[in-house]
Amino acid sequence: MGLTSRALEYAAVLIALVCVGLTVWVWPRLARRGPVAVLGRLGVIAATQVAVLTACAVAVNASFEFYGTWDELLGHVSTAPARITAPGTGPGVYAARSGLVQPAGPQGLDRVRGLPVGPAVKVGRVESVRIIGRRTRAINPAFVYLPPQYFQRQYHRQRFPVIVAVSGYPGGIMNLAQFLHVPQTADRLERTGRLQPTVVVMVRPTIAPPRDTECVDVPGGPKAETFFTKDLPDALKSAYRIGHDPSAWGVLGYSSGGSCALQLALRDPKVYTSAAALSADYKVSDDLTTGSLFGGGPQARRRQEGHDLVWRLKHLPAPQVSVLVASSRQGERDYGPTMQFLKAVRPPMTSARIILPRGSHHFTTWLREIGPAMEWMGRQLTFPQDTTPTPKRHRTAQAASRAAVGRR
């Protein structure tokens, strides 16, 4: 029974209801004096509270994907990458060529509505995988949307642009698929010609749950920025036909995922050349969920300044990237910082904006923005990209065919 499965949720809720019912039924019998009755009442209360809290914890974890498996919850996670022995066969990663991207269980994907149903060559495909960081040794769950063209013969050597979609904290990849409708939106936009064929990779922002790592390389701690700028691109390029040039890479997100998107593009423009941020923050600060992100000593302030985007734009050369930011004049606290950030943008960096009259820090607002944001990003990314090398046996056959034509 998986940690995020519906069966576990239903079982936990059923046990909680049974405990509540038994408590009501036995309470009159325990309403007596004496140590036995008192201990009985305490035991019944404790059992009921544990059952109810467990049911709540299971439901919250299934929704936000704090822990994807029992092993991850218990800390029994392997750090050694494993090879996929039969790439492209059965329910797994399509055409995977390395152990850095591995097939995973549903991870809640089976509960998401509106995903492509039918032959992949006609409707595309959404895969559930886990990504292993070669440098950081982090293991991050992910969903990968592959457009129909990815499976079509005329594109069999084509490398596709890629959008990395980052959820907010403490949400997980389920939020991107179930509540923000990222793969459904990509499919709809591509079918109507408003988004070029694009691979979309959905990930969470933290690599060391439940700590909020804010896409920062923590001194002596998790190297989240390294994961997103080195491990993630390397792993995806080893498993999928996606562009190798930075012009093919964009990153978007909401809330802290939007903050990560901007941080990654401005700090690592040779990896991500465009970013879209919905309700983002523009600087990273320590709080109870992050712990100390910048360490101590004389370098701590310098590290923190490096993650203040307005400070970067005022004191460092502007990177050649394109950004889109979204906020609301009323209902969102980031409106003022958003306008301050936009004023600080200067060439060669370019910016666009989505400013709603009213909004909130919620999916009701982000659902209005995700379609235009993905459509905008599609216009920033280069397609078609370079092609995969022709296999040696194919090159030999082509050379033989050209030689035969020449002899004629």
Side-chain angles (χ1 to χ4, degrees):
M1 190 179 294
L3 185 58
T4 59
S5 66
R6 281 287 179 88
L8 181 62
E9 286 187 71
Y10 293 153
V13 171
L14 179 60
I15 292 172
L17 292 175
V18 169
C19 287
V20 171
L22 288 175
T23 300
V24 174
W25 184 63
V26 304
W27 195 262
R29 303 185 182 188
L30 299 174
R32 299 191 301 268
R33 294 182 179 179
V36 175
V38 172
L39 290 175
R41 290 196 295 270
L42 291 175
V44 167
I45 292 173
T48 302
Q49 292 292 324
V50 169
V52 171
L53 290 175
T54 299
C56 292
V58 168
V60 169
N61 183 71
S63 177
F64 292 104
E65 291 282 336
F66 290 111
Y67 300 97
T69 65
W70 291 103
D71 284 337
E72 187 176 344
L73 175 65
L74 299 174
H76 303 154
V77 179
S78 172
T79 59
R83 292 280 177 183
I84 300 175
T85 57
T89 60
V93 181
Y94 180 81
R97 294 189 297 276
S98 80
L100 299 179
V101 178
Q102 302 178 354
Q107 301 183 128
L109 193 62
D110 53 339
R111 304 199 303 269
V112 179
R113 297 181 179 180
L115 298 180
V117 178
V121 70
K122 294 183 178 180
V123 300
R125 177 171 167 178
V126 181
E127 298 183 337
S128 176
V129 301
R130 58 179 186 172
I131 298 172
I132 299 177
R134 184 166 57 86
R135 300 168 184 81
T136 62
R137 316 303 289 180
I139 300 176
N140 222 12
F143 296 148
V144 180
Y145 166 79
L146 302 171
Q149 293 84 354
Y150 190 92
F151 303 92
Q152 295 171 4
R153 183 172 180 80
Q154 60 267 39
Y155 294 94
H156 75 284
R157 292 184 54 231
Q158 201 70 58
R159 289 190 176 129
F160 290 77
V162 57
I163 294 175
V164 176
V166 187
S167 70
Y169 178 87
I173 54 176
M174 269 292 290
N175 286 358
L176 291 165
Q178 188 172 33
F179 301 122
L180 197 59
H181 299 169
V182 168
Q184 301 92 322
T185 301
D187 179 65
R188 173 173 53 83
L189 292 176
E190 288 174 4
R191 289 184 179 279
T192 55
R194 290 182 288 165
L195 179 66
Q196 59 189 333
T198 303
V199 172
V200 183
V201 181
M202 291 153 272
V203 293
R204 64 189 182 190
T206 180
I207 65 168
R211 185 178 184 179
D212 182 9
T213 46
E214 291 283 338
C215 296
V216 172
D217 277 355
V218 181
K223 305 298 182 185
E225 184 174 0
T226 297
F227 177 84
F228 280 99
T229 58
K230 292 183 173 62
D231 285 348
L232 180 65
D234 286 353
L236 294 174
K237 290 173 185 177
S238 74
Y240 297 100
R241 297 194 324 275
I242 54 178
H244 287 199
D245 190 85
S247 64
W249 285 74
V251 55
L252 66 82
Y254 67 90
S255 189
S256 59
S259 305
C260 281
L262 293 175
Q263 292 280 342
L264 293 172
L266 268 69
R267 289 178 57 85
D268 300 276
K270 293 184 179 180
V271 179
Y272 301 98
T273 56
S274 62
L278 316 180
S279 304
D281 290 325
Y282 298 92
K283 63 180 178 180
V284 177
S285 301
D286 292 343
D287 59 30
L288 292 176
T289 64
T290 65
S292 177
L293 293 174
F294 306 105
Q299 296 300 319
R301 180 178 177 182
R302 182 62 57 87
R303 295 190 193 101
Q304 189 164 14
E305 286 177 342
H307 288 274
D308 182 334
L309 300 184
V310 174
W311 183 93
R312 291 186 67 89
L313 290 174
K314 290 181 177 179
H315 296 87
L316 300 176
Q320 191 169 349
V321 296
S322 301
V323 298
L324 178 145
V325 292
S327 186
S328 306
R329 289 189 179 89
Q330 296 182 15
E332 293 196 72
R333 292 181 297 177
D334 71 320
Y335 175 70
T338 297
M339 301 310 295
Q340 184 183 9
F341 171 77
L342 289 170
K343 290 179 181 178
V345 172
R346 64 184 189 278
M349 183 176 171
T350 62
S351 66
R353 68 191 72 183
I354 299 174
I355 303 296
L356 300 177
R358 294 180 179 83
S360 61
H361 200 79
H362 193 265
F363 288 102
T364 54
T365 296
W366 300 327
L367 276 171
R368 298 177 59 191
E369 300 165 341
I370 187 61
M374 294 185 74
E375 187 176 351
W376 171 86
M377 182 161 288
R379 294 195 296 267
Q380 314 306 311
L381 305 180
T382 302
F383 183 79
Q385 267 285 318
D386 52 341
T387 57
T388 58
T390 303
K392 184 176 181 180
R393 64 179 182 273
H394 290 171
R395 293 198 300 268
T396 303
Q398 290 171 357
S401 176
R402 286 194 296 268
V405 171
R407 286 195 296 269
R408 290 175 192 161

